[in-house]
Amino acid sequence: METCTDISIATEKIMPCHNQQLSSTANQENAVISSTKQVRFASSNGSSGSSDSPVCNTEAEEVPDPCQTDISGEALRQIGPQLKLLPLNDQIRELQTIIRDKTTSRGDFVFCADRLIRLVVEEGLNQLPYTECTVTTPTGHKYDGVKFEKGNCGVSIMRSGEAMEQGLRDCCRSIRIGKILIQSDEETQKAKVYYAKFPPDIYRRKVLLMYPILSTGNTVIEAVKVLIEHGLQPKHIILLSLFSTPHGAKSIIQEFPDITILTTEVHPVAPTHFGQKYFGTD
């Protein structure tokens, strides 16, 4: 039985970014950020090559197409309402900046990554079904509240997805977590599943699929295929990521129109060094 404890409501109290004096380039970027806020509460009606960021995360950062660097709100809406963004504020923007900065020490990187992961996990839990309940307070009064419905679990795509496991356990201490290992075949360079282990009744659960960096989308597509083979429906999958490229998100949604993707940023260049830096293998 999963019990969730100490769930923060930080994401519900997010304040809008302060108006700041920025350069012309930054102002353009700020306009893009502002427009992405409009798709956060979009309706949920809607869902090979090399992997996104291989297990060893040796993939170099992609060079963005100059014609695709401006990710407007309209472009995000065209990807689909299945793509949900955390409401952007200065705190999230700073965490994104520190994670992307090549001069950031590993200690600071891990600290900021864990903070950003926690925010994504909290919002991911908010996407799961709740039921109403009534409890009795220590003073004897009745309080009408809510509680999680039973039947949730997490699945991490190894290795970088394992960085998000502790954030999930910090919120749901007894939640069950499965694992998938996907690597690129040395000869064909196609994403190949090497290992998968899930709770035996995963087909009846709601799944938080954890993978921090979406680049091409191929790794996640293969992982979802494995989950489908185990009887899970894509509409019961919520993909938690920190950073995504437009191509990665679009590829996943085109393949599985019923899936939900939750991320903090959509940008042509993904910080594919994440796994190396987080685990100290860079």
Side-chain angles (χ1 to χ4, degrees), residues 52 59-71 100 215-216 245-247 267-272:
D52 299 77
E59 182 180 338
E61 284 195 347
E62 299 176 357
V63 178
D65 183 340
C67 298
Q68 298 179 350
T69 55
D70 186 8
I71 310 302
R100 285 182 175 276
S215 181
T216 65
T245 65
H247 173 72
H267 192 279
V269 180
T272 53

Side-chain angles (χ1 to χ4, degrees), residues 34-266:
S34 177
S35 62
T36 61
K37 294 180 184 179
Q38 301 174 4
V39 301
R40 169 61 186 83
F41 297 106
S43 171
S44 59
N45 296 333
S47 145
S48 46
S50 60
S51 59
D52 299 77
S53 55
V55 174
C56 295
N57 292 302
T58 56
E59 182 180 338
E61 284 195 347
E62 299 176 357
V63 178
D65 183 340
C67 298
Q68 298 179 350
T69 55
D70 186 8
I71 310 302
S72 65
E74 179 60 30
L76 291 176
R77 283 190 288 272
Q78 290 177 358
I79 293 176
Q82 304 93 324
L83 176 63
K84 299 179 183 296
L85 297 177
L86 263 68
L88 189 69
N89 61 17
D90 290 342
Q91 175 187 209
I92 291 179
R93 190 63 170 160
E94 181 189 29
L95 295 175
Q96 294 170 341
T97 302
I98 294 173
I99 290 172
R100 285 182 175 276
D101 188 350
K102 68 178 183 180
T103 65
T104 299
S105 67
R106 179 171 176 265
D108 289 343
F109 183 95
V110 172
F111 178 80
C112 292
D114 286 342
R115 286 184 60 196
L116 194 59
I117 288 170
R118 179 64 179 263
L119 294 174
V120 173
V121 167
E122 297 281 8
E123 183 57 30
L125 294 173
N126 196 43
Q127 304 295 320
L128 295 175
Y130 288 78
T131 57
E132 295 182 355
C133 68
T134 301
V135 298
T136 303
T137 69
T139 58
H141 292 83
K142 298 295 184 180
Y143 177 80
D144 296 326
V146 296
K147 64 179 179 180
F148 272 123
E149 289 187 1
K150 297 179 180 179
N152 305 313
C153 76
V155 172
S156 64
I157 301 177
M158 301 162 65
R159 176 184 187 192
S160 58
E162 293 177 304
M164 305 180 74
E165 290 183 5
Q166 188 58 49
L168 179 58
R169 286 197 176 99
D170 287 342
C171 299
C172 295
R173 58 186 178 185
S174 62
I175 194 168
R176 303 192 66 177
I177 296 180
K179 293 179 182 288
I180 304 177
L181 174 61
I182 299 176
Q183 289 180 302
S184 298
D185 186 273
E186 294 182 357
E187 296 181 358
T188 64
Q189 296 302 310
K190 291 184 178 180
K192 182 177 179 180
V193 179
Y194 284 85
Y195 173 83
K197 185 173 179 61
F198 311 121
D201 61 345
I202 192 169
Y203 61 92
R204 293 188 295 185
R205 295 174 178 263
K206 304 291 191 302
V207 172
L208 297 173
L209 182 61
M210 298 174 285
Y211 198 56
I213 309 299
L214 300 181
S215 181
T216 65
N218 293 328
T219 295
V220 171
I221 289 173
E222 292 301 316
V224 174
K225 287 180 179 178
V226 174
L227 291 170
I228 292 175
E229 290 173 359
H230 283 73
L232 189 67
Q233 299 181 44
K235 67 180 181 180
H236 293 155
I237 300 174
I238 300 172
L239 174 61
L240 305 183
S241 72
L242 303 183
F243 301 89
S244 175
T245 65
H247 173 72
K250 188 174 182 179
S251 297
I252 295 169
I253 292 173
Q254 285 180 338
E255 187 78 18
F256 308 106
D258 293 330
I259 199 171
T260 297
I261 300 177
L262 180 64
T263 188
T264 73
E265 183 183 62
V266 178

Side-chain angles (χ1 to χ4, degrees), residues 4-37:
C4 298
T5 60
D6 193 28
I7 298 182
S8 168
I9 58 172
T11 55
E12 297 180 4
K13 297 182 178 180
I14 291 176
M15 299 296 292
C17 298
H18 301 295
N19 293 326
Q20 301 177 14
Q21 296 298 322
L22 304 176
S23 64
S24 59
T25 302
N27 282 331
Q28 293 175 2
E29 186 175 15
N30 216 28
V32 171
I33 294 167
S34 177
S35 62
T36 61
K37 294 180 184 179

